[in-house]
Each structure stands twice: as structure tokens, then as C-alpha cells.
Amino acid sequence: QVQLVESGGGLVQAGGSLRLSCAAITRFNIMGWYRQAPGKQRQLVAQITSGGSRNYAGSVKGRFTISRDNDKNTVYLQMNSLKADDTAVYYCNAGEGTYWGPQAYWGRGTQVTVSS
């Protein structure tokens, strides 16, 4: 069974930072993060391949950094300069795909709340 477990969410003031982690039970070619705010569609935040290629949403470029540790099957999202608009449930996403986009497996999500 595939399992993705997120951690690191919480409450932070605007301008602050937060680091999310997602641990997988196995290695995936693509791992990343999506987020969903109330009343909005789930949207891409960032993705990374096992080789280190990265794909960012325009709204987070320059502020968020995605990375991974292949030995630990873990992906990270360093979030800096947080804004109120970043408030959402953040979902880890992973799979064996070769194209950017939603992958097959999802975590249960972790809440990130940014106070303005």
C-alpha cells in the first residue's frame, strides 16, 4: 500500500516561513505539493523529479523551494515570505508519471494558515 505522510503545517504570520515534509513508503519519479483553499480548486504548488527537475506555480516562484531526499523517499517544501493568500490545505502528491501534473497518490493534507 502507498502512504504519503505530511508534516510541518501550522499557523504563521505574514512574512514568516514554514517547512513542510512528506515521507513516502517508496521512491517515486515525481513528488510535489498541491494546495486547496476554501471555495477554490486544488492547484499546483511545486513538483520535483527524482533527477531534480522542478516545476513551480507562478504564484510561489522566488518564495518557495522544493527539494527531495531520494534516500529517505521524502520531499520538502520550504515556504518563505508567506502571504495570507497562501492559506490552504497542502497535499503531498507523488507518482511514477513522466509529465508534470497531478500524480496518482495523495497524502491527507496539512493545514497552513497565514495571518495578515
Side-chain angles (χ1 to χ4, degrees), residues 35 43-47 55-64 83 86:
R35 67 187 183 187
Q43 294 184 290
L44 169 74
V45 179
Q47 295 180 296
N55 180 40
Y56 291 98
S59 59
V60 307
K61 284 182 179 178
R63 298 190 298 123
F64 293 8
K83 304 183 291 186
D86 295 317

PDB file of all heavy atoms in Angstrom, residues 35 43-47 55-64 83 86:
ATOM      1  N   ARG A  35      -2.234  22.576  -3.277  1.00  0.00           N
ATOM      2  CA  ARG A  35      -2.941  23.187  -2.164  1.00  0.00           C
ATOM      3  C   ARG A  35      -4.365  23.528  -2.572  1.00  0.00           C
ATOM      4  O   ARG A  35      -4.661  23.738  -3.750  1.00  0.00           O
ATOM      5  CB  ARG A  35      -2.219  24.440  -1.662  1.00  0.00           C
ATOM      6  CG  ARG A  35      -2.198  25.601  -2.635  1.00  0.00           C
ATOM      7  CD  ARG A  35      -1.303  26.714  -2.101  1.00  0.00           C
ATOM      8  NE  ARG A  35      -1.300  27.884  -2.970  1.00  0.00           N
ATOM      9  CZ  ARG A  35      -0.504  28.932  -2.809  1.00  0.00           C
ATOM     10  NH1 ARG A  35       0.360  28.965  -1.800  1.00  0.00           N
ATOM     11  NH2 ARG A  35      -0.579  29.952  -3.658  1.00  0.00           N
ATOM     12  N   GLN A  43      -4.810  23.348  -6.572  1.00  0.00           N
ATOM     13  CA  GLN A  43      -3.864  23.884  -7.536  1.00  0.00           C
ATOM     14  C   GLN A  43      -2.437  23.441  -7.228  1.00  0.00           C
ATOM     15  O   GLN A  43      -2.076  23.215  -6.072  1.00  0.00           O
ATOM     16  CB  GLN A  43      -3.909  25.412  -7.558  1.00  0.00           C
ATOM     17  CG  GLN A  43      -5.211  25.992  -8.076  1.00  0.00           C
ATOM     18  CD  GLN A  43      -5.153  27.491  -8.175  1.00  0.00           C
ATOM     19  OE1 GLN A  43      -5.128  28.181  -7.161  1.00  0.00           O
ATOM     20  NE2 GLN A  43      -5.115  28.008  -9.396  1.00  0.00           N
ATOM     21  N   LEU A  44      -1.647  23.376  -8.286  1.00  0.00           N
ATOM     22  CA  LEU A  44      -0.233  23.054  -8.147  1.00  0.00           C
ATOM     23  C   LEU A  44       0.486  24.094  -7.301  1.00  0.00           C
ATOM     24  O   LEU A  44       0.246  25.289  -7.437  1.00  0.00           O
ATOM     25  CB  LEU A  44       0.418  23.000  -9.526  1.00  0.00           C
ATOM     26  CG  LEU A  44       1.950  22.937  -9.536  1.00  0.00           C
ATOM     27  CD1 LEU A  44       2.424  21.555  -9.112  1.00  0.00           C
ATOM     28  CD2 LEU A  44       2.490  23.290 -10.914  1.00  0.00           C
ATOM     29  N   VAL A  45       1.382  23.623  -6.451  1.00  0.00           N
ATOM     30  CA  VAL A  45       2.334  24.481  -5.770  1.00  0.00           C
ATOM     31  C   VAL A  45       3.717  24.270  -6.379  1.00  0.00           C
ATOM     32  O   VAL A  45       4.330  25.194  -6.912  1.00  0.00           O
ATOM     33  CB  VAL A  45       2.377  24.215  -4.253  1.00  0.00           C
ATOM     34  CG1 VAL A  45       3.410  25.122  -3.590  1.00  0.00           C
ATOM     35  CG2 VAL A  45       1.000  24.425  -3.639  1.00  0.00           C
ATOM     36  N   ALA A  46       4.207  23.049  -6.310  1.00  0.00           N
ATOM     37  CA  ALA A  46       5.521  22.731  -6.859  1.00  0.00           C
ATOM     38  C   ALA A  46       5.675  21.226  -6.996  1.00  0.00           C
ATOM     39  O   ALA A  46       5.067  20.462  -6.249  1.00  0.00           O
ATOM     40  CB  ALA A  46       6.639  23.292  -5.970  1.00  0.00           C
ATOM     41  N   GLN A  47       6.516  20.808  -7.935  1.00  0.00           N
ATOM     42  CA  GLN A  47       6.832  19.398  -8.139  1.00  0.00           C
ATOM     43  C   GLN A  47       8.315  19.249  -8.418  1.00  0.00           C
ATOM     44  O   GLN A  47       8.976  20.179  -8.868  1.00  0.00           O
ATOM     45  CB  GLN A  47       6.044  18.816  -9.313  1.00  0.00           C
ATOM     46  CG  GLN A  47       4.539  18.780  -9.101  1.00  0.00           C
ATOM     47  CD  GLN A  47       3.806  18.203 -10.276  1.00  0.00           C
ATOM     48  OE1 GLN A  47       3.834  18.765 -11.371  1.00  0.00           O
ATOM     49  NE2 GLN A  47       3.148  17.062 -10.063  1.00  0.00           N
ATOM     50  N   ASN A  55       9.212  22.132 -11.020  1.00  0.00           N
ATOM     51  CA  ASN A  55       8.085  22.806 -11.647  1.00  0.00           C
ATOM     52  C   ASN A  55       7.343  23.582 -10.564  1.00  0.00           C
ATOM     53  O   ASN A  55       6.846  22.982  -9.616  1.00  0.00           O
ATOM     54  CB  ASN A  55       7.158  21.783 -12.309  1.00  0.00           C
ATOM     55  CG  ASN A  55       5.968  22.417 -12.977  1.00  0.00           C
ATOM     56  OD1 ASN A  55       6.084  23.461 -13.605  1.00  0.00           O
ATOM     57  ND2 ASN A  55       4.803  21.786 -12.860  1.00  0.00           N
ATOM     58  N   TYR A  56       7.277  24.915 -10.712  1.00  0.00           N
ATOM     59  CA  TYR A  56       6.636  25.768  -9.721  1.00  0.00           C
ATOM     60  C   TYR A  56       5.445  26.505 -10.299  1.00  0.00           C
ATOM     61  O   TYR A  56       5.454  26.920 -11.465  1.00  0.00           O
ATOM     62  CB  TYR A  56       7.606  26.836  -9.207  1.00  0.00           C
ATOM     63  CG  TYR A  56       8.747  26.350  -8.363  1.00  0.00           C
ATOM     64  CD1 TYR A  56      10.008  26.150  -8.916  1.00  0.00           C
ATOM     65  CD2 TYR A  56       8.581  26.119  -7.003  1.00  0.00           C
ATOM     66  CE1 TYR A  56      11.065  25.731  -8.132  1.00  0.00           C
ATOM     67  CE2 TYR A  56       9.635  25.700  -6.215  1.00  0.00           C
ATOM     68  CZ  TYR A  56      10.879  25.508  -6.790  1.00  0.00           C
ATOM     69  OH  TYR A  56      11.928  25.097  -6.002  1.00  0.00           O
ATOM     70  N   ALA A  57       4.446  26.694  -9.467  1.00  0.00           N
ATOM     71  CA  ALA A  57       3.386  27.619  -9.823  1.00  0.00           C
ATOM     72  C   ALA A  57       3.947  29.035  -9.807  1.00  0.00           C
ATOM     73  O   ALA A  57       4.805  29.371  -8.988  1.00  0.00           O
ATOM     74  CB  ALA A  57       2.229  27.515  -8.838  1.00  0.00           C
ATOM     75  N   GLY A  58       3.456  29.865 -10.716  1.00  0.00           N
ATOM     76  CA  GLY A  58       3.965  31.226 -10.802  1.00  0.00           C
ATOM     77  C   GLY A  58       3.789  32.016  -9.520  1.00  0.00           C
ATOM     78  O   GLY A  58       4.622  32.878  -9.193  1.00  0.00           O
ATOM     79  N   SER A  59       2.749  31.727  -8.767  1.00  0.00           N
ATOM     80  CA  SER A  59       2.462  32.474  -7.557  1.00  0.00           C
ATOM     81  C   SER A  59       3.452  32.220  -6.424  1.00  0.00           C
ATOM     82  O   SER A  59       3.487  32.984  -5.458  1.00  0.00           O
ATOM     83  CB  SER A  59       1.047  32.157  -7.066  1.00  0.00           C
ATOM     84  OG  SER A  59       0.903  30.778  -6.799  1.00  0.00           O
ATOM     85  N   VAL A  60       4.254  31.161  -6.533  1.00  0.00           N
ATOM     86  CA  VAL A  60       5.190  30.834  -5.463  1.00  0.00           C
ATOM     87  C   VAL A  60       6.644  30.927  -5.891  1.00  0.00           C
ATOM     88  O   VAL A  60       7.537  30.788  -5.044  1.00  0.00           O
ATOM     89  CB  VAL A  60       4.912  29.442  -4.859  1.00  0.00           C
ATOM     90  CG1 VAL A  60       3.457  29.321  -4.442  1.00  0.00           C
ATOM     91  CG2 VAL A  60       5.296  28.343  -5.848  1.00  0.00           C
ATOM     92  N   LYS A  61       6.898  31.165  -7.163  1.00  0.00           N
ATOM     93  CA  LYS A  61       8.272  31.270  -7.637  1.00  0.00           C
ATOM     94  C   LYS A  61       9.006  32.386  -6.905  1.00  0.00           C
ATOM     95  O   LYS A  61       8.489  33.482  -6.738  1.00  0.00           O
ATOM     96  CB  LYS A  61       8.311  31.532  -9.139  1.00  0.00           C
ATOM     97  CG  LYS A  61       8.005  30.326  -9.987  1.00  0.00           C
ATOM     98  CD  LYS A  61       8.124  30.657 -11.467  1.00  0.00           C
ATOM     99  CE  LYS A  61       7.844  29.446 -12.324  1.00  0.00           C
ATOM    100  NZ  LYS A  61       7.915  29.764 -13.771  1.00  0.00           N
ATOM    101  N   GLY A  62      10.211  32.080  -6.470  1.00  0.00           N
ATOM    102  CA  GLY A  62      11.010  33.052  -5.745  1.00  0.00           C
ATOM    103  C   GLY A  62      10.754  33.066  -4.262  1.00  0.00           C
ATOM    104  O   GLY A  62      11.534  33.666  -3.512  1.00  0.00           O
ATOM    105  N   ARG A  63       9.679  32.409  -3.825  1.00  0.00           N
ATOM    106  CA  ARG A  63       9.355  32.382  -2.398  1.00  0.00           C
ATOM    107  C   ARG A  63       9.443  30.964  -1.819  1.00  0.00           C
ATOM    108  O   ARG A  63       9.863  30.794  -0.679  1.00  0.00           O
ATOM    109  CB  ARG A  63       7.951  32.927  -2.145  1.00  0.00           C
ATOM    110  CG  ARG A  63       7.769  34.381  -2.551  1.00  0.00           C
ATOM    111  CD  ARG A  63       6.433  34.922  -2.056  1.00  0.00           C
ATOM    112  NE  ARG A  63       5.303  34.197  -2.635  1.00  0.00           N
ATOM    113  CZ  ARG A  63       4.368  33.574  -1.913  1.00  0.00           C
ATOM    114  NH1 ARG A  63       4.420  33.599  -0.587  1.00  0.00           N
ATOM    115  NH2 ARG A  63       3.362  32.951  -2.525  1.00  0.00           N
ATOM    116  N   PHE A  64       9.021  29.990  -2.607  1.00  0.00           N
ATOM    117  CA  PHE A  64       9.016  28.594  -2.155  1.00  0.00           C
ATOM    118  C   PHE A  64      10.127  27.821  -2.854  1.00  0.00           C
ATOM    119  O   PHE A  64      10.449  28.083  -4.019  1.00  0.00           O
ATOM    120  CB  PHE A  64       7.691  27.914  -2.472  1.00  0.00           C
ATOM    121  CG  PHE A  64       6.498  28.430  -1.708  1.00  0.00           C
ATOM    122  CD1 PHE A  64       6.577  29.558  -0.906  1.00  0.00           C
ATOM    123  CD2 PHE A  64       5.285  27.766  -1.809  1.00  0.00           C
ATOM    124  CE1 PHE A  64       5.476  30.023  -0.217  1.00  0.00           C
ATOM    125  CE2 PHE A  64       4.173  28.221  -1.123  1.00  0.00           C
ATOM    126  CZ  PHE A  64       4.267  29.347  -0.325  1.00  0.00           C
ATOM    127  N   LYS A  83       2.255  34.747   2.559  1.00  0.00           N
ATOM    128  CA  LYS A  83       1.185  35.717   2.452  1.00  0.00           C
ATOM    129  C   LYS A  83      -0.128  35.073   2.860  1.00  0.00           C
ATOM    130  O   LYS A  83      -0.256  33.852   2.875  1.00  0.00           O
ATOM    131  CB  LYS A  83       1.081  36.234   1.008  1.00  0.00           C
ATOM    132  CG  LYS A  83       2.362  36.831   0.471  1.00  0.00           C
ATOM    133  CD  LYS A  83       2.172  37.397  -0.931  1.00  0.00           C
ATOM    134  CE  LYS A  83       1.945  36.303  -1.953  1.00  0.00           C
ATOM    135  NZ  LYS A  83       1.913  36.876  -3.343  1.00  0.00           N
ATOM    136  N   ASP A  86      -1.588  32.355   0.796  1.00  0.00           N
ATOM    137  CA  ASP A  86      -1.006  31.022   0.847  1.00  0.00           C
ATOM    138  C   ASP A  86      -1.778  30.094   1.780  1.00  0.00           C
ATOM    139  O   ASP A  86      -1.493  28.895   1.828  1.00  0.00           O
ATOM    140  CB  ASP A  86       0.457  31.088   1.293  1.00  0.00           C
ATOM    141  CG  ASP A  86       1.341  31.822   0.301  1.00  0.00           C
ATOM    142  OD1 ASP A  86       1.190  31.593  -0.917  1.00  0.00           O
ATOM    143  OD2 ASP A  86       2.183  32.626   0.749  1.00  0.00           O
TER     144      ASP A  86
END
